[in-house]
Amino acid sequence: MTDELLKDLLRSALPPTNRQGPSRDLWPQVVSRILALPAWSWLDTSVAVGATIAVLVFPKALLLIAFHF
Amino acid sequence: MTDEPGGELLTRFVQGDLDAFESLYREYHAEVYQWAMRIVRDVGIAEDVLVDAFWRAYRGRAQFDISRSFGAWMRRITTNVALDQLRAMRSRTSWVAIHDNIAAPGTLAHGLSESVIRAFRKLSPKLQIVATLALMEELPYAEIAEALHLPVGTIKSRSFRAIRALRKELAQLGIQP
């Protein structure tokens, strides 16, 4: 099989399309991705888990915290 | 290729001005979409690539050097996003089978066309992208090298490997015209 024949086979099986642009305006999707709130990081999760465990293990610490408010 | 935007617009973009970014989007989105279509050859996936590429461009705007070409930078980002999409498609068995959204095959008999697509989709994404751009689109090696941010020699080598792998795969499928 020559390279040219191989190229012809590929082009026939996977022909190019004539679309010049997307089917709809995708700018709103780009903006919503940009403005999306960042997901919780591992650090956020570990701090939340640590705080919960601390409160469960030392419940009286809550009184100490409340005293300062 | 689109005329390069002015330095003031690019500076505002780098500073995070969303209006400036929208102007760049309006100017470049068709070019980005067409480039994505050339690689992924799927209408819906090319739209996903377009959104992801512009999102990544905005996220990485601080790395953009305003003295360089915005079009070339976008093309490189789009190529990387498309490559990620090819990797994702490959992990889906339905894609290796046959994809519905692909343009209707040209003159080939259905069975032969299916075998060629199957052989093509079995290439690694790195080889697929080079095979698409070098063999099907017949773009110059230098242009592909710039888009993939690789040396021209690597592109030539990958093109050769893609041809060899396709021949082997098609031979296994009983196609030896």
Side-chain angles (χ1 to χ4, degrees), chain B residues 100-141:
Chain B
D100 292 339
N101 284 350
I102 225 156
T107 53
L108 288 186
H110 181 68
L112 178 56
S113 169
E114 202 169 302
S115 299
V116 173
I117 295 172
R118 195 180 296 274
F120 182 76
R121 295 296 175 211
K122 279 195 174 177
L123 293 177
S124 71
K126 282 179 181 177
L127 294 188
Q128 258 188 57
I129 201 166
V130 172
T132 304
L133 298 174
L135 306 180
M136 287 191 258
E137 298 287 334
E138 293 194 309
L139 293 180
Y141 288 133

Side-chain angles (χ1 to χ4, degrees), chain A residues 22 24-31, chain B residues 25 33 47-48 50-51:
Chain A
R24 59 192 192 285
D25 184 11
L26 296 172
W27 173 246
Q29 276 183 251
V30 175
V31 174
Chain B
Y25 172 86
Y33 178 80
E47 291 185 355
D48 290 345
L50 172 78
V51 172

Side-chain angles (χ1 to χ4, degrees), chain B residues 40 45 48-49 81-90 92:
Chain B
V40 298
I45 294 170
D48 290 345
V49 170
V81 175
L83 192 55
D84 289 345
Q85 283 286 350
L86 290 179
R87 289 190 182 110
M89 287 176 195
R90 197 160 186 256
R92 285 180 227 136

